[in-house]
Amino acid sequence: NISEKHQNYAIVYDLVTGIRFSVSRCAKNPVQITDNQFKQVTKLIFNRQGNTQAPPTKYEFKFKDYAPEVFRDLRRMFNVNQADYLMSLNDEIGVRAVGSSGKSGSSFYYSNDRKFIIKTIHRSEHKHLRRILKDYYNYVTENPNTLLCQFYGLHRLKMATRTGTVKVHVLVMNNLLPPMVNTADCYDLKGSTYGRKTSEKKRLQGSCLK
């Protein structure tokens, strides 16, 4: 778990605080999803004093929650209970890597029970998901047993650091590997070989995670 001494503690704290508060603001009962809700963006400002938008926090930051009611309904379709979701995403978050060894360079943060993953994504990926969100939502609606990745939330954190302002885009998704099973080998398979050639030595060193 990430302690207050960890270099990423402030980012993780802000992310979890923003996600928990924004999710708790969503309607507890299903609502009729309209086209406008795919474009909806909720903006929140957090500070040490608290304000009319949010309670007091350890750090000052700005948070955006994208299409909150759409993702609320997606979580419902994926049978994710809102109370359990909030319980899992607490400040006892575990870090897999500050910078992933994968080609994407993303960081992965597990919820305390390892059911959910908060993944940092590039701005281009963020914009692409917003573009296809309606198609994704309609597909899940028509195919409730789909094996596609389950997306639970799309957010953006903006905070000041010693080196300047930092913007972090994140996607909350399911953890495909059951938390109760010890995985011996995990292979990261890709659908394309473009830009993914490597030497035999490096392949043997990095083809599996143990």
Side-chain angles (χ1 to χ4, degrees):
N1 294 342
I2 297 180
S3 68
E4 292 195 39
K5 296 181 180 180
H6 195 283
Q7 60 180 344
N8 274 25
Y9 176 80
I11 290 178
V12 173
Y13 172 88
D14 292 350
L15 284 173
V16 172
T17 300
I19 292 171
R20 285 176 55 86
F21 187 75
S22 58
V23 167
S24 66
R25 289 164 52 97
C26 291
K28 291 182 173 56
N29 297 314
V31 297
Q32 184 65 39
I33 300 299
T34 64
D35 287 347
N36 287 336
Q37 287 173 318
F38 288 93
K39 302 175 183 178
Q40 182 183 356
V41 181
T42 300
K43 301 178 182 179
L44 299 168
I45 298 176
F46 294 84
N47 55 44
R48 294 183 177 87
Q49 295 76 34
N51 52 60
T52 56
Q53 287 186 318
T57 53
K58 290 183 180 180
Y59 308 104
E60 296 186 356
F61 62 95
K62 295 180 180 179
F63 193 83
K64 285 186 178 181
D65 187 18
Y66 295 88
E69 295 300 340
V70 173
F71 283 104
R72 161 70 177 88
D73 207 41
L74 283 169
R75 292 193 297 271
R76 178 190 62 81
M77 287 191 282
F78 289 133
N79 297 312
V80 176
N81 179 274
Q82 182 151 310
D84 293 340
Y85 187 67
L86 291 172
M87 185 72 70
S88 295
L89 295 174
N90 53 42
D91 56 5
E92 295 182 11
I93 295 292
V95 60
R96 167 181 161 184
V98 174
S100 167
S101 58
K103 195 174 182 66
S104 69
S106 297
S107 295
F108 297 83
Y109 304 98
Y110 290 107
S111 62
N112 190 38
D113 54 13
R114 299 183 74 81
K115 289 182 180 179
F116 309 110
I117 297 173
I118 302 175
K119 177 186 178 182
T120 64
I121 58 176
H122 293 288
R123 183 170 178 266
S124 59
E125 295 175 284
H126 164 93
K127 292 175 67 176
H128 180 67
L129 180 54
R130 293 190 69 191
R131 283 196 297 267
I132 67 169
L133 182 57
K134 187 175 181 180
D135 290 335
Y136 175 81
Y137 177 87
N138 290 337
Y139 183 86
V140 172
T141 301
E142 297 169 3
N143 302 273
N145 297 317
T146 177
L147 297 179
L148 288 178
C149 288
Q150 298 180 7
F151 298 142
Y152 302 141
L154 184 65
H155 314 281
R156 194 205 73 178
L157 166 68
K158 182 178 180 181
M159 60 182 292
T161 67
R162 295 177 180 177
T163 57
T165 301
V166 171
K167 293 181 181 179
V168 182
H169 296 86
V170 297
L171 178 65
V172 186
M173 58 195 296
N174 61 323
N175 183 4
L176 288 173
L177 302 178
M180 69 292 295
V181 175
N182 291 324
T183 305
D185 298 286
C186 178
Y187 296 88
D188 189 5
L189 304 180
K190 303 298 180 183
S192 172
T193 58
Y194 179 77
R196 297 185 181 277
K197 297 184 183 296
T198 188
S199 66
E200 181 69 12
K201 180 178 180 181
K202 289 184 178 179
R203 186 188 68 81
L204 292 174
Q205 290 176 342
S207 62
C208 64
L209 301 173
K210 295 185 179 181

